[in-house]
Amino acid sequence: MKQGVSSTGHHEESAEQRDYVKGLVLAFVLTVASFSVVWFKLLTGPAALILLGILALVQCAAQIRYFLHVDGRSHRDDLLLILFTSLIVLIIVGGTIWILWNQHARMM
């Protein structure tokens, strides 16, 4: 009986380690892809910004899934906290862009 509990605990621990490795590899690949787009000038202008934004969103999703272990099936409170935090960050970033754009328009 004790050995079965230990085996289950070991299995869960190894599954968690695999998730960390998957997250690490995914984060590394996404980071290299982002730097490659800019460094090698694969895309320029708005296309590069859109691709970098998409890569950043995928990176955020990978971080949340593999390192914070929020997958939507469990930890409902954690998911709500992250969604609320994302909303606040979106408001701050959107407000900053709006203010800067408004200042730019007034300077022209």
Side-chain angles (χ1 to χ4, degrees):
M1 181 76 178
K2 200 170 190 178
Q3 199 171 29
V5 172
S6 176
S7 175
T8 304
H10 179 69
H11 178 69
E12 289 176 4
E13 186 175 303
S14 66
E16 187 174 347
Q17 288 176 350
R18 279 194 303 264
D19 278 349
Y20 282 124
V21 171
K22 286 179 192 174
L24 180 67
V25 169
L26 190 57
F28 181 75
V29 168
L30 290 169
T31 302
V32 169
S34 298
F35 275 99
S36 297
V37 168
V38 175
W39 189 274
F40 298 114
K41 297 179 180 165
L42 299 175
L43 294 173
T44 58
L49 291 177
I50 290 171
L51 181 61
L52 290 174
I54 291 170
L55 289 172
L57 288 176
V58 174
Q59 178 84 269
C60 287
Q63 298 282 330
I64 290 170
R65 167 65 181 89
Y66 291 110
F67 295 117
L68 297 178
H69 302 288
V70 176
D71 55 2
R73 290 177 288 170
S74 62
H75 309 288
R76 185 180 172 100
D77 292 337
D78 292 342
L79 181 62
L80 289 176
L81 179 65
I82 289 172
L83 289 175
F84 181 72
T85 303
S86 299
L87 176 67
I88 297 299
V89 168
L90 183 68
I91 289 171
I92 291 171
V93 170
T96 301
I97 290 172
W98 180 60
I99 290 171
L100 289 175
W101 184 260
N102 194 2
Q103 290 295 322
H104 175 71
R106 289 177 184 227
M107 296 293 284
M108 293 296 159

